[in-house]
Amino acid sequence: MCKAKDYTNRLLDIFEEIKCFNKQLAKELSKFDLMEQDVLHKIEGESFNTYQGYVLAKQIKDIRNERRDIKDERAAMQSLIDSTEAIKRRVEKANKNILNLESSL
C-alpha cells in the first residue's frame, strides 16, 4: 500500500473516531439527564428530613457538575467536527483519487 493511501486512511480513521466519541458523549449526557430526573422524582414524590434533603441536593449537584463537564467536552468536540468537515471531505476526495490511481496502474 502506498504511503499516501495509508496517511489518508489514518486521517479518515481519526475523523471517524472523533464522530464516535461525540456520539458517546451524547449517550453519557442522556444518562446524566435520566439520573437527574430520578432524583427530582424522588424529591417530588417522597417526604424527607433535612439530612435526606441534603443528600438529594448533593446528588443533584454532583450530577449537574458531571453533566456540565460532558456538555463542555461535547461543545469542544462539535467545534472540532465543524471546523474539520471541509478537511474531511478533501481527504476523502484525495483517498478516492489515490484508489483510482492505484487501480489504473
Side-chain angles (χ1 to χ4, degrees), residues 1-94:
M1 174 175 3
C2 76
K3 276 292 202 189
K5 183 178 172 185
D6 184 42
Y7 287 136
T8 57
N9 284 334
R10 286 170 48 193
L11 286 169
L12 292 172
D13 288 345
I14 290 169
F15 291 128
E16 186 61 29
E17 187 178 324
I18 291 167
K19 184 178 164 185
C20 289
F21 184 67
N22 199 42
K23 285 182 181 179
Q24 180 184 344
L25 288 172
K27 287 179 184 177
E28 286 209 25
L29 186 62
S30 178
K31 179 182 86 172
F32 279 95
D33 286 341
L34 292 174
M35 289 169 62
E36 181 180 25
Q37 286 301 311
D38 286 345
V39 176
L40 291 173
H41 284 132
K42 282 183 187 178
I43 291 170
E44 180 182 11
E46 297 177 12
S47 297
F48 48 87
N49 63 31
T50 304
Y51 175 74
Q52 291 165 329
Y54 168 79
V55 169
L56 292 169
K58 177 92 170 81
Q59 286 176 349
I60 288 177
K61 180 181 178 183
D62 292 344
I63 290 167
R64 297 290 298 174
N65 286 337
E66 286 290 327
R67 187 179 181 280
R68 172 57 44 209
D69 291 343
I70 293 168
K71 281 190 78 168
D72 291 346
E73 181 69 25
R74 191 154 184 247
M77 291 302 293
Q78 191 59 52
S79 176
L80 177 63
I81 290 168
D82 293 344
S83 299
T84 59
E85 191 61 38
I87 297 167
K88 179 184 173 193
R89 286 192 299 272
R90 290 172 63 186
V91 171
E92 288 170 338
K93 184 177 179 182

